[in-house]
């Protein structure tokens, strides 16, 4: 392992993306998200993805030089066409417009369509919360989840995220979770390491529980809480695809495949201005105190301290530096 500063991670990732065809702004936005993921130990959404970013820039599966198009079909409805480019710069183009709309109307939506995978959904809802608004986010992914009782893949892990501002420029609560028992990346990382997975994470092709990551990747993942998680996954699917113009999960090809059609995914956000309620701040304070009364209990997202520098595997860091050259 090697200790690497977040500044070096961001700069090297940006250089790698530019070297493979991304423009400076898109590369900088994606690199910032990579560094943020690494800072909190979210390896799946950090440097782990840079190789596929570079490969897909080269093959044209993701467009690194497009300028997202922002439109406002209604006063509190903001839409961004990512033009098959990265999700991060598309969100950055739309966020100021959506924040302004939400502050005027009390609530607004931000739909990002025709985008590459956004990896960490909480990275985006956190930005909404730090701007003083409540953020809800939804996205879909390549098909890996079957309906309870079935075995045909219909939807993706379809993450949902919820972020709440603390009223002082920080975040009082943040959760970001897949609607499956575990994220797909946990399965692929176990496969790469030659490890087994806990029972209850996935089913094999026949619909039977498995602890073999190879069998899991040929089968399907399990929705968290059974029918309850399945319902949340469907909700995320309809919002992420139906409200953005992106494709359904069933039509999304493997996200890390070097070549192929663009991801064409959607991300859908709801922005709520908490100042629309006089009681919100007081209720948040009261709830936070109730949660914290027991030792070790905390609001989701609290207690995460970003690290700098972070530990990176030698081979991974050498690979990223090689891409940058």
């Amino acid at each position: 392992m090697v200790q690497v500063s977040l500044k070096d991670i961001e700069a090297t990732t940006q250089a790698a993306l530019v070297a493979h065809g991304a423009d400076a702004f898109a590369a900088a936005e994606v690199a910032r998200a990579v560094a943020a993921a690494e800072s909190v130990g979210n390896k799946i959404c950090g440097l782990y993805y840079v190789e596929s970013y570079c490969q897909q820039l080269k093959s044209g599966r993701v467009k690194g030089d497009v300028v997202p198009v922002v439109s406002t079909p209604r006063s509190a409805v903001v839409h961004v066409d990512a033009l098959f480019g990265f999700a991060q710069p598309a969100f950055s183009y739309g966020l100021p417009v959506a924040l302004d709309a939400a502050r005027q109307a009390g609530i607004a939506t931000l739909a990002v369509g025709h985008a590459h995978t956004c990896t960490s959904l909480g990275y985006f809802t956190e930005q909404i919360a730090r701007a003083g608004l409540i953020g809800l986010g939804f996205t879909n992914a390549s098909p890996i989840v079957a309906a309870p009782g079935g075995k045909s893949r219909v939807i993706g892990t379809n993450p949902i995220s919820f972020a709440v501002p603390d009223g002082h420029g920080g975040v009082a609560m943040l959760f970001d979770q897949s609607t499956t028992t575990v994220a797909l990346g946990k399965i692929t990382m176990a496969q790469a390491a030659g490890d087994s997975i806990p029972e209850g994470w996935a089913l094999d092709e026949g619909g039977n529980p498995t602890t073999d990551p190879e069998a899991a990747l040929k089968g399907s993942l399990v929705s968290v809480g059974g029918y309850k998680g399945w319902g949340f996954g469907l909700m995320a699917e309809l919002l992420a695809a139906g409200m953005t113009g992106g494709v359904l999960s069933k039509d999304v090809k493997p996200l890390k495949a070097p070549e192929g059609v663009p991801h064409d995914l959607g991300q859908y956000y709801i922005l709520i201005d908490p100042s629309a309620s006089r009681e919100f701040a007081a209720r948040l304070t009261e709830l936070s105190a109730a949660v914290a009364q027991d030792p070790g209990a905390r609001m989701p997202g609290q207690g995460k301290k970003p690290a700098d520098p972070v530990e990176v595997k030698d081979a991974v860091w050498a690979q990223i530096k090689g891409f940058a050259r």
Side-chain angles (χ1 to χ4, degrees):
M1 303 292 279
V2 60
Q3 294 280 327
V4 186
S5 72
L6 297 182
K7 181 179 178 181
D8 283 347
I9 287 175
E10 190 169 337
T12 307
T13 299
Q14 182 177 356
L17 297 175
V18 168
H20 286 77
D23 67 22
F25 180 76
E29 290 297 298
V30 176
R32 189 160 62 94
V34 168
E38 288 289 336
S39 74
V40 292
N42 185 2
K43 299 294 185 182
I44 295 171
C45 296
L47 293 169
Y48 172 75
Y49 250 99
V50 175
E51 178 182 10
S52 70
Y53 290 154
C54 292
Q55 291 173 336
Q56 291 174 17
L57 281 166
K58 278 293 188 183
S59 70
R61 192 175 181 204
V62 60
K63 312 300 181 185
D65 57 355
V66 293
V67 178
V69 177
V70 181
S71 60
T72 51
R74 297 185 187 180
S75 60
V77 175
V78 181
H79 188 276
V80 184
D81 187 342
L83 300 174
F84 304 119
F86 288 109
Q88 291 85 353
F91 179 84
S92 292
Y93 267 74
L95 181 60
V97 183
L99 289 172
D100 183 59
R103 287 170 181 142
Q104 291 187 51
I107 187 169
T109 60
L110 171 59
V112 177
H114 310 305
H116 199 262
T117 178
C118 69
T119 54
S120 173
L121 189 62
Y123 173 74
F124 303 93
T125 58
E126 180 179 355
Q127 292 180 58
I128 296 170
R130 290 193 182 280
L133 275 66
I134 298 167
L136 292 87
F138 311 85
T139 190
N140 59 343
S142 50
I144 192 66
V145 184
K151 59 182 181 180
S152 298
R153 296 174 171 184
V154 180
I155 64 174
T157 55
N158 291 13
I160 58 177
S161 181
F162 181 59
V164 178
D166 64 6
H168 306 286
V171 180
M173 173 178 169
L174 170 64
F175 73 77
D176 173 11
Q177 62 186 57
S178 64
T179 51
T180 49
T181 300
V182 69
L184 178 60
K186 292 283 183 72
I187 308 288
T188 57
M189 291 181 81
Q191 177 197 34
D195 297 331
S196 61
I197 59 174
E199 188 170 321
W201 280 14
L203 308 176
D204 63 18
E205 288 180 286
N208 305 303
T210 182
T211 60
D212 180 0
E214 293 275 359
L217 292 172
K218 293 176 182 176
S220 62
L221 300 191
V222 175
S223 296
V224 62
Y227 283 97
K228 296 178 182 179
W230 170 247
F232 278 118
L234 290 176
M235 177 180 68
E237 184 77 18
L238 286 168
L239 292 174
M243 297 302 292
T244 70
V247 297
L248 291 169
S249 289
K250 68 182 184 65
D251 297 319
V252 180
K253 303 307 177 187
L255 297 182
K256 294 191 73 181
E259 300 180 344
V261 297
H263 291 177
D264 198 8
L265 289 167
Q267 294 96 39
Y268 190 71
Y269 303 94
I270 300 171
L271 297 80
I272 304 168
D273 187 349
S275 69
S277 168
R278 295 179 182 177
E279 288 77 27
F280 182 82
R283 296 295 182 271
L284 174 60
T285 300
E286 186 178 358
L287 179 60
S288 299
V291 170
Q293 66 183 325
D294 293 327
R298 57 180 175 81
M299 297 282 274
Q302 295 299 308
K304 274 192 174 182
K305 302 296 183 185
D308 188 9
V310 298
E311 282 194 341
V312 179
K313 290 183 178 179
D314 295 80
V316 171
W317 187 236
Q319 180 189 55
I320 304 304
K321 289 195 294 183
F323 288 144
R325 289 194 293 268

